[in-house]
């Protein structure tokens, strides 16, 4: 398959292309730089691979949870490129959970099959989810969560993989085995064949980021609307009676 994979949910930007069994990989600064760096890096990597957008079978992107800026940028670029691929006929988009991608990276690098994927969510919290690799694919055990690092519960026999331990240290599951693993685009390419075969791809316009936590900041319009709503709930002071002539 010919695939393009985008992963920008953390402070590191990962891009990969697959042309049949060949791979081309790129990593660089993400975070706030994602919006300016992602598209030029994609174009350069596609050129290095000698791969045109008309030859793509699908575009894969990490849908989150993670950096709001990174997720929005990756989703928007995946949508835009998918729309114009194949001469405007378009190609499907495959959104993949960031934490499953961490689990897959841990499997590729360390051979793990029972993983609690855990990445920094900032604001003194972590994103985490539990995965088990069975019959050639990952099963999600429970829901994706966001919580303080000390609240993470690790099932017996599972390792903790991600980037959170380097940040929170002993506050995060001190009795567990910890492995560093990032949600890489190479892991996305590894996950893609099974997920595509399971019908997980969507039309470009239906691809959306995954947010677990509410938005960190409200827009100016939202703040003004909230002020107006609060003002409407505050009873006005009674007017003073007119003096009797």
């Amino acid at each position: 398959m010919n695939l393009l994979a985008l992963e920008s949910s953390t402070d590191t930007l990962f891009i990969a292309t697959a042309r049949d069994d060949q791979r081309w990989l790129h990593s660089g600064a993400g975070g706030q730089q994602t919006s300016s760096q992602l598209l030029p890096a994609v174009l350069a990597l596609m050129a290095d691979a000698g791969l045109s957008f008309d030859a793509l079978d699908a575009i894969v992107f990490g849908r989150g949870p993670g950096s709001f800026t990174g997720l929005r940028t990756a989703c928007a670029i995946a949508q835009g490129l998918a729309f114009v691929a194949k001469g405007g006929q378009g190609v499907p988009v495959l959104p993949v959970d960031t934490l499953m991608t961490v689990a897959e990276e841990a499997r590729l690098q360390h051979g793990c099959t029972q993983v609690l994927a855990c990445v920094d969510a900032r604001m003194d919290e972590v994103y985490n989810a539990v995965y088990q690799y069975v019959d050639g694919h990952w099963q999600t055990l429970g829901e994706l969560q966001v919580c303080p690092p000390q609240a993470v519960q690790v099932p017996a026999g599972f390792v903790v993989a991600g980037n959170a331990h380097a940040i929170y240290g002993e506050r995060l599951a001190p009795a567990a085995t910890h492995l560093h693993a990032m949600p890489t685009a190479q892991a996305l390419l590894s996950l893609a064949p099974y997920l595509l075969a399971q019908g997980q791809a969507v039309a470009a316009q239906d691809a959306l980021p995954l947010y677990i936590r509410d938005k960190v900041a409200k827009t100016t319009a939202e703040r003004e609307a909230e002020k107006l709503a609060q003002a409407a709930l505050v009873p006005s002071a009674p007017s003073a009676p007119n003096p009797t002539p």
Side-chain angles (χ1 to χ4, degrees), residues 154-236:
V154 185
F158 281 67
V159 301
V160 179
N163 66 358
H165 187 252
I167 298 167
Y168 297 103
E170 292 301 302
R171 293 178 60 198
L172 174 63
T177 298
H178 292 267
L179 300 171
H180 182 76
M182 295 293 284
T184 66
Q186 183 175 5
L188 282 178
L189 292 181
S190 180
L191 291 167
Y194 175 81
L195 297 176
L196 288 169
Q198 294 299 305
Q200 297 298 309
V202 298
Q205 65 269 20
D206 296 324
L208 295 171
L210 172 65
Y211 302 127
I212 295 179
R213 186 164 59 197
D214 291 338
K215 289 182 295 184
V216 174
K218 296 177 182 177
T219 65
T220 301
E222 288 171 333
R223 290 195 296 267
E224 290 300 320
E226 188 176 75
K227 288 179 182 179
L228 292 173
Q230 291 174 346
L233 295 175
V234 177
S236 55

Side-chain angles (χ1 to χ4, degrees), residues 19-56:
R19 192 179 69 196
D20 299 324
D21 59 350
Q22 294 181 287
R23 302 287 184 270
W24 287 262
L25 309 175
H26 168 85
S27 62
Q32 295 299 317
Q33 298 185 53
T34 302
S35 55
S36 62
Q37 297 298 317
L38 181 51
L39 185 55
V42 166
L43 297 176
L45 195 63
M46 292 285 285
D48 288 344
L51 191 60
S52 73
F53 291 102
D54 290 345
L56 289 175

Side-chain angles (χ1 to χ4, degrees), residues 1-2 13 62 64 109 127 132 140 167 189 232 235 238-239:
M1 299 184 72
N2 295 336
L13 171 65
Q109 297 299 324
Y127 297 119
Q132 184 164 288
T140 307
I167 298 167
L189 292 181
S239 57

Side-chain angles (χ1 to χ4, degrees), residues 135-150:
D135 296 330
H137 66 276
W138 289 101
Q139 295 178 350
T140 307
L141 307 181
E143 297 182 352
L144 279 66
Q145 301 181 46
V146 59
C147 65
Q150 61 270 21

